[in-house]
Amino acid sequence: MAADTQARTRVLLATLLLTTLLLAGLAACAGGSPSPRATPTVTALTPGGITPVAGANSATPTQYVIGGTGSTVGVSDICVATPDVQQDLPTAVPAYPGAELRQGYSAPGGSTYGLCAQASAGEIAAFYAGKLSGAGWQSVKSVMLPLGQQVTASRSGATVAITILPDAARSGWTDVLIVISTQ
């Protein structure tokens, strides 16, 4: 049991680190103009790192999402994973109407939630962009991803990143990963 808790804590901390890096990158992109000489750099993945997603609905389970009892749930297979809710979604970030909370975890520094909804990524992103703005979240941004969308925001020492992707196994269903980081 203790090993399972330690594993979940490590995965949550990795999730929080990745979310923080993503939000810092988005903040850096928000100001100034891009350099005409800027070139992308490619960093090789290390063993045990993030598994890249290749193509629509062919996502591989990733190691940065907490999930299941003793297993890892990828961001695009929340709808088919065994439900494991140890903590309910906070009122500061409402659930999408009709969505099922299937994953819910908390550790020092933040929490992670996985929802499953029968709606498009665009509909879900629009819902969260509106709800977060109306609930006092600031710097609310919605960005398109190759397969879905992501909504980010910050408020009172907390950041939220909501990643919305089509479920890899259930056609017409959408996975919603919510990561809340606290400072």
Side-chain angles (χ1 to χ4, degrees):
M1 192 71 165
D4 191 37
T5 301
Q6 288 176 342
R8 285 192 174 145
T9 300
R10 283 193 305 271
V11 174
L12 179 60
L13 291 175
T15 302
L16 295 174
L17 175 63
L18 288 171
T19 301
T20 302
L21 292 173
L22 174 68
L23 292 173
L26 288 173
C29 291
S33 60
S35 168
R37 289 188 253 159
T39 56
T41 57
V42 178
T43 304
L45 295 174
T46 58
I50 298 173
T51 304
V53 175
N57 293 329
S58 65
T60 305
T62 59
Q63 295 190 17
Y64 62 92
V65 181
I66 296 176
T69 48
S71 65
T72 302
V73 175
V75 70
S76 66
D77 59 7
I78 292 169
C79 291
V80 296
T82 303
D84 188 4
V85 179
Q86 298 175 12
Q87 178 174 323
D88 288 331
L89 198 60
T91 57
V93 181
Y96 182 80
E100 178 187 0
L101 180 62
R102 299 187 56 85
Q103 306 290 316
Y105 305 94
S106 178
S111 51
T112 303
Y113 307 91
L115 292 93
C116 181
Q118 199 168 12
S120 72
E123 292 169 322
I124 296 170
F127 168 83
Y128 279 108
K131 288 293 183 179
L132 293 175
S133 293
W137 289 87
Q138 298 147 356
S139 303
V140 178
K141 295 179 182 150
S142 181
V143 295
M144 296 292 295
L145 301 175
L147 298 176
Q149 289 189 248
Q150 186 171 57
V151 177
T152 58
S154 61
R155 172 175 101 171
S156 303
T159 57
V160 62
I162 303 170
T163 305
I164 308 152
L165 297 172
D167 188 78
R170 292 179 71 187
S171 179
W173 289 85
T174 303
D175 297 308
V176 181
L177 173 67
I178 300 172
V179 178
I180 302 171
S181 304
T182 55
Q183 299 173 4

